[in-house]
């Protein structure tokens, strides 16, 4: 074989190798292993008939960005004179319609939802029991100015100090009254 034929074969092999490397995804490098992203869990606890729209929207944005499941949790207080697993129909009559509304809104926005009802002697106790039973990556809490509604400032401080997860506490401005409330009988939000 002559030097010209050998040189031609080498150049042809080199060009074929370069072209093949360019056309193979992603341009000559091994494709990255793109397994499913880990699913994160976002806890969205609430205590009454409404939740701040800002807290809800923040949870939705984070869930979409992180491929997360939002776990709305209705915190129910059980009086001390009753067993912890006893029925609390008055509280559930207020909280369950809101839980249903949250589920519907999350599903309509394409966000995975897995609802909970947590029982305890206080809202903090219900939250503590839920956090002991399950692991969450983030907790988003809607804070209020009223000491009679929802989690107190002591509960929020406990949450920040004791929960092994990211905690986001949102308190809307006093003029911001936008809330998500349970669907009314005629179906309006």
């Amino acid at each position: 074989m002559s030097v010209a034929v050998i040189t031609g074969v080498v150049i042809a092999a080199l060009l074929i190798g370069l072209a093949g490397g360019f056309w193979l995804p992603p341009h000559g490098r091994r494709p990255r292993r793109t397994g499913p992203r880990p699913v994160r869990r976002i806890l969205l606890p609430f205590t009454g008939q409404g939740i701040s729209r800002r807290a809800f929207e923040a949870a939705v944005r984070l869930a979409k960005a992180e491929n997360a499941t939002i776990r709305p949790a209705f915190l129910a207080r059980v009086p001390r004179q009753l067993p912890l697993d006893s029925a609390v129909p008055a509280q559930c009559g207020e909280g369950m319609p809101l839980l249903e509304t949250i589920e519907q809104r999350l599903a309509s926005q394409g966000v995975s939802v897995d609802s909970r009802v947590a029982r305890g002697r206080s809202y903090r106790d219900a939250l503590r029991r839920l956090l002991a039973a399950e692991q969450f990556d983030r907790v988003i809490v809607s804070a209020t100015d009223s000491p009679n509604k929802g989690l107190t400032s002591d509960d929020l401080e406990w949450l920040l100090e004791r929960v092994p997860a990211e905690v986001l506490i949102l308190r809307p401005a006093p003029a911001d009254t936008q809330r998500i409330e349970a669907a009314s009988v005629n179906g309006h939000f």
Side-chain angles (χ1 to χ4, degrees), residues 12-99:
L14 185 62
L15 290 175
I16 291 172
L18 288 173
F22 178 76
W23 291 109
L24 289 175
H27 301 294
R29 288 177 259 140
R30 269 195 198 164
R32 287 184 282 163
R33 295 186 183 250
T34 54
R37 294 185 342 193
V39 176
R40 295 175 54 94
R41 292 164 304 278
I42 298 174
L43 176 62
L44 185 64
F46 64 94
T47 60
Q49 295 178 326
I51 187 171
S52 161
R53 184 179 300 268
R54 301 276 184 222
F56 178 79
E57 290 172 352
V60 169
R61 285 191 304 270
L62 287 169
K64 286 181 177 180
E66 298 177 343
N67 186 35
T69 298
I70 295 180
R71 294 192 174 162
F74 172 56
L75 304 178
R77 288 187 295 190
V78 179
R80 294 199 187 279
Q81 66 269 21
L82 297 175
L84 196 56
D85 60 349
S86 63
V88 282
Q91 286 188 48
C92 288
E94 293 177 3
M96 295 308 283
L98 178 57
L99 192 60

Side-chain angles (χ1 to χ4, degrees), residues 19-181:
F22 178 76
W23 291 109
L24 289 175
H27 301 294
R29 288 177 259 140
R30 269 195 198 164
R32 287 184 282 163
R33 295 186 183 250
T34 54
R37 294 185 342 193
V39 176
R40 295 175 54 94
R41 292 164 304 278
I42 298 174
L43 176 62
L44 185 64
F46 64 94
T47 60
Q49 295 178 326
I51 187 171
S52 161
R53 184 179 300 268
R54 301 276 184 222
F56 178 79
E57 290 172 352
V60 169
R61 285 191 304 270
L62 287 169
K64 286 181 177 180
E66 298 177 343
N67 186 35
T69 298
I70 295 180
R71 294 192 174 162
F74 172 56
L75 304 178
R77 288 187 295 190
V78 179
R80 294 199 187 279
Q81 66 269 21
L82 297 175
L84 196 56
D85 60 349
S86 63
V88 282
Q91 286 188 48
C92 288
E94 293 177 3
M96 295 308 283
L98 178 57
L99 192 60
E100 176 89 16
T101 300
I102 291 171
E103 287 177 353
Q104 291 174 359
R105 288 203 177 185
L106 291 172
S108 71
Q109 295 187 35
V111 175
S112 176
V113 61
D114 187 10
S115 299
R116 303 283 188 266
V117 175
R119 299 163 171 267
R121 299 301 179 188
S122 65
Y123 292 137
R124 184 191 306 185
D125 183 47
L127 190 55
R128 182 189 59 76
R129 289 174 185 275
L130 180 61
L131 290 166
E134 298 185 49
Q135 184 177 4
F136 298 96
D137 300 299
R138 181 171 287 131
V139 180
I140 299 177
V141 179
S142 176
T144 64
D145 288 333
S146 173
N148 299 331
K149 291 183 180 178
L151 299 170
T152 66
S153 58
D154 289 339
D155 295 335
L156 297 176
E157 185 177 341
W158 171 85
L159 191 65
L160 287 171
E161 291 174 354
R162 302 287 171 99
V163 175
E166 295 177 0
V167 177
L168 176 63
I169 300 173
L170 291 173
R171 184 185 59 88
D176 185 1
T177 58
Q178 294 182 352
R179 296 179 57 77
I180 293 179
E181 296 184 356

